[in-house]
mmCIF file of all heavy atoms in Angstrom:
data_model
loop_
_atom_site.group_PDB
_atom_site.id
_atom_site.type_symbol
_atom_site.label_atom_id
_atom_site.label_comp_id
_atom_site.label_asym_id
_atom_site.label_seq_id
_atom_site.Cartn_x
_atom_site.Cartn_y
_atom_site.Cartn_z
ATOM 1 N N CYS A 115 25.693 76.902 48.052
ATOM 2 C CA CYS A 115 25.267 77.915 47.084
ATOM 3 C C CYS A 115 25.131 79.258 47.789
ATOM 4 O O CYS A 115 24.533 79.350 48.860
ATOM 5 C CB CYS A 115 23.946 77.505 46.447
ATOM 6 S SG CYS A 115 23.269 78.768 45.354
ATOM 7 N N THR A 117 23.399 81.812 46.983
ATOM 8 C CA THR A 117 22.058 82.408 46.886
ATOM 9 C C THR A 117 21.023 81.637 47.701
ATOM 10 O O THR A 117 20.346 82.208 48.547
ATOM 11 C CB THR A 117 21.620 82.473 45.412
ATOM 12 O OG1 THR A 117 22.628 83.151 44.671
ATOM 13 C CG2 THR A 117 20.304 83.217 45.258
ATOM 14 N N CYS A 118 20.895 80.336 47.449
ATOM 15 C CA CYS A 118 19.824 79.573 48.097
ATOM 16 C C CYS A 118 20.322 78.662 49.225
ATOM 17 O O CYS A 118 19.511 78.142 49.989
ATOM 18 C CB CYS A 118 19.058 78.756 47.062
ATOM 19 S SG CYS A 118 20.027 77.479 46.264
ATOM 20 N N CYS A 136 24.658 76.917 42.853
ATOM 21 C CA CYS A 136 24.190 75.583 42.494
ATOM 22 C C CYS A 136 23.754 75.532 41.039
ATOM 23 O O CYS A 136 23.822 74.495 40.397
ATOM 24 C CB CYS A 136 23.061 75.158 43.430
ATOM 25 S SG CYS A 136 21.553 76.144 43.256
ATOM 26 N N CYS A 140 20.866 80.863 40.029
ATOM 27 C CA CYS A 140 21.351 81.429 41.281
ATOM 28 C C CYS A 140 22.532 82.367 41.037
ATOM 29 O O CYS A 140 22.699 83.361 41.723
ATOM 30 C CB CYS A 140 21.768 80.319 42.233
ATOM 31 S SG CYS A 140 20.369 79.577 43.112
HETATM 32 ZN ZN1 LIG B 1361 21.320 78.049 44.497
#
Side-chain angles (χ1 to χ4, degrees):
C115 175
T117 306
C118 65
C136 66
C140 279

